[in-house]
Amino acid sequence: MKATTLCVFAILIALPVGHVFAYPPDPTPEARALMRESKYAEAAKKLEAYLATNRFDGRAWSSLAECLHSSKQYEPAIEAGKKAIETGFNQTGQIYNIACGYALLGKKDDAIAWLKKALDAGFPEQETLENDEDMESLRADPRFIQLTGLKPPAGLISDKQWEWDLNFFVRRMEQMHWSLYAKVSKETFLSEVDRLKAEAPKLTSERIRVRLSRILAMVGDGHTTLSSFAEGEDAVPRIPLHFRAFTDGLFVIGAPESRSDLVGAKVVKVGLLDTDEALKRMRAYCSVDNDMGYLDGAPRRLTQLAALQEIGATSDEGIEFTFLLADRTSRTVRMTPDPMTKAIARRVFRPGYIYANAKCTSPLPLFQRDVGTPLTLENLDDAKAVYFGFHAVAENKGQTFAEFVSLMTKRIEEKNADYLIIDMRLNGGGNTGLIRPLIDSLIKNDRINQPGHLYVIIGRETFSAAQNTVNQLESMTHATFVGEPTGSRPNFVGESTYFILPYSKLRVYCSSRYWQHVTSTDRRNWVSPQIAAEFSSGDFIENRDPCLAAILAKIKK
């Protein structure tokens, strides 16, 4: 098997990203060791001997297929792959690998047929399709181009390019999404795509992106969305303001120094619309799992001029905002977009921006410190507590997740701490496969894992793998949840697999897996806090943390 095809096995079998397989002990450890040394022929013999005694093991058939393919024994590899498919093991990956085998044997018709099967089964690896040497013999075949969307016809006019892209969009959405028409009818979805095809020649590229975002939002889940940046694109036009919704309204929490006079102002009007109406209309363009997602997503959309044009807030190349300033005076300011780079867009707090709490003399709240580091620890000695800033389900540089959990456990013991506070309010997800050491450690800790001693702060941005972590904390520990409801549901469709539209190079994220860590009948919109604690604009400006304050008050009481 070529290196690029090996990547398929690594992603789908050995090192799952965002999900985890709970395998029993491997009955073929010697074969696995030989595979790690690239001794595929020897490993194949070990696996064949084992399968002679147990023909039901799909994992072993899959490993045998990999060994045979890597040994250039393509026909036996194909047969072993088919055996793995019969067991239900790694079906999409195996189907693709069989297509690779047929391509290397020069059997193009069979290769194309199996490639179609793989794509119809939801095979998501676009980079593999682009770069896999095993597929080289098929790249010029019109059927390969049609199926994958790669290297589309040159010379098409812009209108036809968008038509090609949108046809490809529908096909890949139907192939990859877990259940595309669960929340939007097929008739509605396709009619909206057809309408966009018809109107695309009259629209700017930015307006087309916004319309496509609305179509994706109709699917009804937070992971099915359009990336802000097309492939190779370093900047997009955005109004240079950072908004956030609080209990007392929508506020400018940050801005470049040139707009620092607006920092801390309340937004009372967005173009032709009152702020509440603008936020309400913008919901149609936000991909969310529940209503908490709108609190996060709609304010961000208000910086996208094309979206503001779509909701009727403005009809020209700028937008007038009306603000209520800190001195209670009103000001209307006309603004136009500036380039926003990826480095700025992907930060919790944007580099180069002035924030509304900058002049506060009180210390920065713990949850706002070092937010670029996934996992942080602080001692709260006065409360006999340890604070775990859990900003992403990821690993710190040079430190595994399990090593961090061991460090946290050691810190609790050294400080003789009676309480652990896990702050997940800014945690947008990552790799669910990492979290088991944390859950195991908490279950075993009798001092921490009891009512009133383990607190977890959650909120609108607690999403994806963070939601999965919350689900397991809820079901397996005595955690008390504090803050806002989570930004996702206990049971949800997710996984940010993606495809790229051939001409426009827009990246479309598509939910391809169903996540269930609770009972199938659990239809809650979110995991709710037992102790509700919401932020006002004043809390942000004065560096107050109502969530941590509520926990410390509970501990003291």
Side-chain angles (χ1 to χ4, degrees), residues 25 115 175 196 209 299 372 464:
L115 177 60
Q175 290 169 334
L196 181 54
R209 293 187 190 203
S464 193

Side-chain angles (χ1 to χ4, degrees), residues 327-507:
D327 62 4
R328 310 308 294 174
T329 61
S330 178
R331 182 187 300 175
T332 298
V333 180
R334 177 179 170 80
M335 303 191 70
T336 55
D338 286 342
M340 175 174 283
T341 64
K342 289 181 181 179
I344 293 177
R346 293 178 177 176
R347 297 289 187 90
V348 175
F349 299 104
R350 298 171 185 170
Y353 273 42
I354 306 297
Y355 279 86
N357 58 348
K359 295 181 180 180
C360 182
T361 57
S362 300
L364 199 66
L366 287 177
F367 81 96
Q368 292 186 27
R369 302 178 194 175
D370 202 13
V371 292
T373 302
L375 317 169
T376 64
L377 283 178
E378 297 283 347
N379 302 325
L380 302 178
D381 293 334
D382 290 346
K384 294 193 71 176
V386 170
Y387 174 91
F388 169 16
F390 196 180
H391 306 306
V393 188
E395 297 180 326
N396 292 340
K397 187 176 181 180
Q399 181 186 50
T400 68
F401 192 85
E403 288 170 346
F404 177 87
V405 171
S406 296
L407 179 65
M408 181 190 73
T409 303
K410 184 179 179 181
R411 181 77 62 87
I412 291 169
E413 293 172 354
E414 289 175 347
K415 292 293 181 179
N416 197 28
D418 288 327
Y419 305 95
L420 175 64
I421 300 166
I422 304 176
D423 197 335
M424 300 184 67
R425 77 186 89 181
L426 299 180
N427 194 323
N431 184 353
T432 300
L434 294 174
I435 66 175
R436 183 166 178 174
L438 174 64
I439 304 301
D440 288 348
S441 174
L442 294 175
I443 290 172
K444 295 173 184 176
N445 196 321
D446 292 335
R447 187 163 74 247
I448 296 298
N449 187 29
Q450 56 177 301
H453 286 252
L454 173 60
Y455 293 92
V456 180
I457 303 175
I458 54 176
R460 66 188 74 173
E461 293 165 83
T462 309
F463 183 73
S464 193
Q467 177 69 55
N468 285 334
T469 307
V470 167
N471 294 341
Q472 295 198 40
L473 288 168
E474 183 185 45
S475 62
M476 298 183 185
T477 73
H478 290 288
T480 298
F481 294 100
V482 181
E484 300 176 320
T486 56
S488 190
R489 300 170 182 268
N491 291 328
F492 64 95
V493 292
E495 209 73 17
S496 291
T497 48
Y498 70 91
F499 57 90
I500 297 168
L501 300 186
Y503 284 106
S504 63
K505 300 302 179 184
L506 297 178
R507 179 182 285 224

Side-chain angles (χ1 to χ4, degrees), residues 212-234:
L212 191 57
S213 294
R214 186 176 64 82
I215 292 171
L216 287 164
M218 292 168 63
V219 177
D221 68 79
H223 284 80
T224 298
T225 188
L226 186 68
S227 172
S228 297
F229 298 87
E231 297 303 291
E233 192 172 45
D234 294 322

Side-chain angles (χ1 to χ4, degrees), residues 5 50 139 185 272 294 535:
T5 310
Y50 166 69
R139 298 206 187 281
S185 71
L272 302 173
Y294 295 126
F535 270 74

Side-chain angles (χ1 to χ4, degrees), residues 237-299:
R238 293 292 185 269
I239 303 297
L241 294 175
H242 191 170
F243 298 123
R244 187 169 181 87
F246 295 101
T247 54
D248 50 339
L250 182 73
F251 285 78
V252 179
I253 62 166
E257 190 169 356
S258 60
R259 298 286 184 178
S260 61
D261 58 320
L262 302 178
V263 173
K266 183 176 182 177
V267 186
V268 295
K269 200 167 184 181
V270 180
L272 302 173
L273 305 174
D274 290 337
T275 299
D276 288 345
E277 179 64 21
L279 289 170
K280 180 181 177 182
R281 293 189 187 187
M282 203 60 83
R283 286 184 168 213
Y285 300 87
C286 300
S287 294
V288 301
D289 283 346
N290 60 33
D291 283 358
M292 297 304 296
Y294 295 126
L295 289 177
D296 181 45

